[in-house]
Amino acid sequence: MGVIRKKTVTRGTEGGLKYICDVRIRCAHNSCNDYDLCVPCFAKGETSRDHDPKTHPYSVVEQNSIPIYTHDWGADEEQALLEGAEVYGLGSWGDIADHIGNYRTKEEVRDHYVKTYIESSKFPLPENADPHDMSLVEEVPREQFQARKKMRIEERKEAAKTAPPATPKQKPTASVPACHEVQGYMPGRLEFETEFCNEAEEAVQHMQFDPGDGTNPSTGKLEPEMELKMVVMDIYNSRLTSRADRKKIIFEHELLQYRRNNNLDKKRTKEERELHNKAKPFARMMNHNDFETFTANLEFEHNLRQAISQLQDWRHVRIGDLKTGEKYEQDKQTRAQRPPPTGAFDRIGGMRVSKPTPPVEIPLATTALTAPELPDRLKSNSQSNNVTSGVALAPPIIPVNANSTPTKGPLTNGTLNISSSPTPQLKPRYTIPPISGSLPTRLTNENAADLHLLTKEEADLCNALRIMPKPYLAIKEGLMKEATKSGGGLKRKLAKEICKIDSSKSARIFDFFVHAGWIHKV
């Protein structure tokens, strides 16, 4: 009897255990372990080793290459699959595929085992585990199955000949930075050398559970020792759950890509890095895309706040346009980088080594929000999603008349310059009638803290009526709310009741609002 056991270097080939004869005689005596004979040798009474054909019992073994569980797997392959799983262990699909042979790949073996055995409703048995179930044999006869099997093997053999040479199996490398970006991470096992609660297994490594232990036969309750074991197991399972949750966060947010994350972190300013680090705890309750959007919005809010603070500083030093503000910031940085002056009689001044002052770190996105060319970038709706240094600018809301034709021009005071036919005439400037017996005052940033919230016309109105900016803003809010309720219209008498000030002053405020077009007279 000839037996061929092929163990090939390249997986997915015709390796495995092969018998030359389709029918063989196996010795059933205890002294003959796995001793097979072909039919001609058995007929001649051949003997070797401890085999005695005269006295030893025997059994006829047939190579059952017929489908029993699925249409494309024979009984011999099913048996080889179970033998390989017993020898090499479940999960070693490459070694099991080599044991089966017939050009079976490890992916094919794994999928077949999962679908046939694990996903079966009769787990751990397959669906067609009944020995009297011959439905597959009747559906696919032996000759047809053998023809399909031969055709499959020939096709894969030809494909293997034309395939490029496989890379020889190399010795696995250690988890060092040369192997992976994060030291201590083992990519093949998706594990770390030092896990979370790395000593969790020490509490359960010597724990044993024998059948029948733990229950007191007289009372039927768990014994204290078994209760203690169950508590320890609950603690161990909770630690494993925490370990799995932390791994999930690492893989979900791509924290193993250390170089890419480090390069992105270097591009941020100090304030942005601190903001990003403070937001990291929220990553445990978000997926990667939501967390990226969340941090991008936080950075955009931070840049907006810095831009607003910068504009307020410019207003405080009486800078009225973005071009002058940019020149002011450049001069400010130049002055900050100058070395401290030394006196004429300072003897050690020439020996003192002055360290250069580091430049002020201003985010590029903040600079983009206060750049002089900002109106030109926002003049078109198609350019409302411009991205500067990775931070998107908020799209402006530009009211455009439907009957007008927009022209190519910059924005003025936040509105788009448009030309329409006919060209609208400019509205005359509102002249505030003086109040008899009252002299106008002069409001400045020193005596009126909220003056920067008013336009020039509103500031002139407050000067003429001797009203501070804060009470005027409260009156304006009340009038606008009441006008909104009535569709934009308001009566003069109702406006006087809302203002709760002198009737002459409230009348002038009402006329100013009507002239400005904020409300209309009813």
Side-chain angles (χ1 to χ4, degrees):
M1 178 63 189
V3 180
I4 302 176
R5 184 182 296 273
K6 294 184 178 181
K7 187 69 173 179
T8 57
V9 177
T10 305
R11 288 181 170 174
T13 58
E14 58 176 352
L17 187 64
K18 302 296 178 185
Y19 294 94
I20 297 177
C21 302
D22 293 336
V23 179
R24 62 187 186 275
I25 309 299
R26 169 164 293 186
C27 181
H29 196 270
N30 296 331
S31 61
C32 299
N33 187 18
D34 292 340
Y35 187 85
D36 297 335
L37 288 172
C38 62
V39 176
C41 296
F42 177 76
K44 295 179 181 179
E46 297 289 344
T47 179
S48 61
R49 295 189 301 178
D50 298 332
H51 177 64
D52 186 4
K54 298 179 181 179
T55 58
H56 287 186
Y58 63 91
S59 61
V60 179
V61 180
E62 183 180 2
Q63 191 173 356
N64 294 318
S65 184
I66 54 174
I68 55 174
Y69 298 150
T70 59
H71 293 80
D72 55 345
W73 278 68
D76 53 342
E77 292 178 321
E78 297 286 355
Q79 183 180 1
L81 170 61
L82 299 179
E83 290 177 354
E86 183 180 1
V87 173
Y88 301 106
L90 286 177
S92 302
W93 303 114
D95 295 331
I96 297 175
D98 289 346
H99 183 78
I100 298 173
N102 294 336
Y103 287 91
R104 295 288 187 184
T105 62
K106 61 179 182 180
E107 293 82 7
E108 189 178 5
V109 174
R110 178 195 60 203
D111 296 342
H112 174 75
Y113 184 83
V114 171
K115 183 177 180 181
T116 306
Y117 295 91
I118 297 181
E119 296 180 356
S120 172
S121 60
K122 301 178 182 179
F123 177 82
L125 299 177
E127 294 288 348
N128 302 326
D130 187 1
H132 302 289
D133 187 0
M134 305 297 292
S135 58
L136 284 177
V137 179
E138 296 174 356
E139 184 178 352
V140 183
R142 178 190 296 269
E143 294 77 12
Q144 184 179 356
F145 180 79
Q146 292 289 349
R148 292 180 182 178
K149 180 178 179 181
K150 183 177 180 181
M151 184 183 301
R152 174 179 57 82
I153 293 176
E154 293 296 333
E155 290 177 356
R156 296 191 179 184
K157 185 182 296 184
E158 292 297 330
K161 291 180 180 179
T162 58
T167 305
K169 187 177 179 181
Q170 300 177 355
K171 184 179 180 181
T173 56
S175 293
V176 295
C179 174
H180 195 267
E181 297 179 12
V182 179
Q183 187 174 3
Y185 174 63
M186 296 173 284
R189 301 175 59 180
L190 299 178
E191 294 179 353
F192 296 88
E193 291 184 2
T194 304
E195 295 281 356
F196 173 75
C197 290
N198 201 42
E199 297 81 12
E201 285 75 11
E202 294 182 358
V204 297
Q205 62 179 347
H206 299 299
M207 190 178 296
Q208 294 182 355
F209 290 90
D210 297 328
D213 290 350
T215 304
N216 193 337
S218 59
T219 60
K221 298 181 180 180
L222 289 178
E223 296 181 354
E225 182 180 358
M226 180 59 65
E227 292 181 356
L228 179 61
K229 287 183 179 180
M230 298 304 296
V231 171
V232 173
M233 288 301 300
D234 291 340
I235 296 174
Y236 174 65
N237 290 330
S238 64
R239 291 177 178 177
L240 291 184
T241 303
S242 302
R243 183 185 299 176
D245 292 341
R246 282 162 172 77
K247 283 185 182 179
K248 181 181 179 181
I249 295 173
I250 292 175
F251 298 145
E252 172 70 23
H253 295 279
E254 301 176 356
L255 300 181
L256 293 174
Q257 299 182 8
Y258 175 76
R259 292 189 182 92
R260 183 179 68 85
N261 296 334
N262 193 28
N263 292 334
L264 292 177
D265 197 53
K266 289 180 180 179
K267 296 179 181 179
R268 301 186 180 100
T269 61
K270 182 180 179 181
E271 291 80 6
E272 290 176 348
R273 285 194 294 269
E274 292 178 355
L275 184 66
H276 196 270
N277 291 332
K278 290 180 181 179
K280 283 182 178 179
F282 295 98
R284 301 182 63 179
M285 59 190 73
M286 300 181 184
N287 57 33
H288 182 63
N289 295 331
D290 292 345
F291 181 71
E292 289 292 329
T293 305
F294 174 68
T295 54
N297 291 335
L298 286 180
E299 291 180 4
F300 182 68
E301 179 189 3
H302 173 72
N303 295 329
L304 278 179
R305 291 180 181 275
Q306 283 194 335
I308 293 172
S309 177
Q310 192 177 61
L311 292 174
Q312 290 176 346
D313 293 341
W314 292 356
R315 182 184 290 272
H316 185 70
V317 295
R318 300 182 182 277
I319 294 177
D321 58 280
L322 298 176
K323 190 70 175 178
T324 308
E326 183 185 28
K327 187 176 182 303
Y328 170 75
E329 291 296 331
Q330 293 176 356
D331 296 341
K332 184 178 179 180
Q333 291 188 7
T334 303
R335 290 192 301 269
Q337 293 177 0
R338 290 176 183 173
T342 57
F345 300 98
D346 191 358
R347 291 178 295 178
I348 63 175
M351 303 172 57
R352 187 184 299 118
V353 179
S354 60
K355 296 182 179 180
T357 306
V360 181
E361 198 174 14
I362 300 178
L364 295 178
T366 302
T367 308
L369 292 171
T370 57
E373 64 273 10
L374 181 62
D376 295 332
R377 291 201 309 271
L378 301 179
K379 65 185 178 182
S380 175
N381 285 337
S382 62
Q383 299 175 353
S384 62
N385 292 329
N386 285 342
V387 178
T388 305
S389 300
V391 181
L393 299 178
I397 301 176
I398 303 175
V400 181
N401 190 1
N403 299 325
S404 63
T405 303
T407 60
K408 295 182 179 179
L411 294 170
T412 302
N413 199 19
T415 58
L416 181 65
N417 288 336
I418 58 175
S419 62
S420 59
S421 180
T423 304
Q425 296 180 356
L426 296 177
K427 187 179 294 186
R429 181 182 177 86
Y430 177 72
T431 303
I432 306 171
I435 299 177
S436 59
S438 177
L439 296 177
T441 186
R442 181 174 178 80
L443 299 177
T444 61
N445 290 326
E446 287 75 15
N447 58 16
D450 300 326
L451 184 62
H452 64 281
L453 300 176
L454 308 181
T455 62
K456 187 176 183 303
E457 292 77 10
E458 289 178 317
D460 295 339
L461 178 65
C462 291
N463 286 328
L465 302 181
R466 300 181 64 87
I467 300 177
M468 297 299 291
K470 194 168 185 178
Y472 166 77
L473 292 175
I475 293 172
K476 179 180 179 181
E477 182 181 1
L479 292 176
M480 298 302 292
K481 285 184 178 179
E482 190 65 30
T484 304
K485 295 179 182 178
S486 58
L490 199 64
K491 293 183 179 180
R492 186 185 295 270
K493 182 179 180 181
L494 182 60
K496 292 181 180 180
E497 295 177 358
I498 295 174
C499 293
K500 297 181 181 180
I501 57 176
D502 185 63
S503 59
S504 59
K505 294 183 180 181
S506 61
R508 285 164 175 77
I509 293 176
F510 179 79
D511 294 339
F512 175 77
F513 280 20
V514 172
H515 183 270
W518 297 341
I519 60 177
H520 62 269
K521 187 176 180 181
V522 178

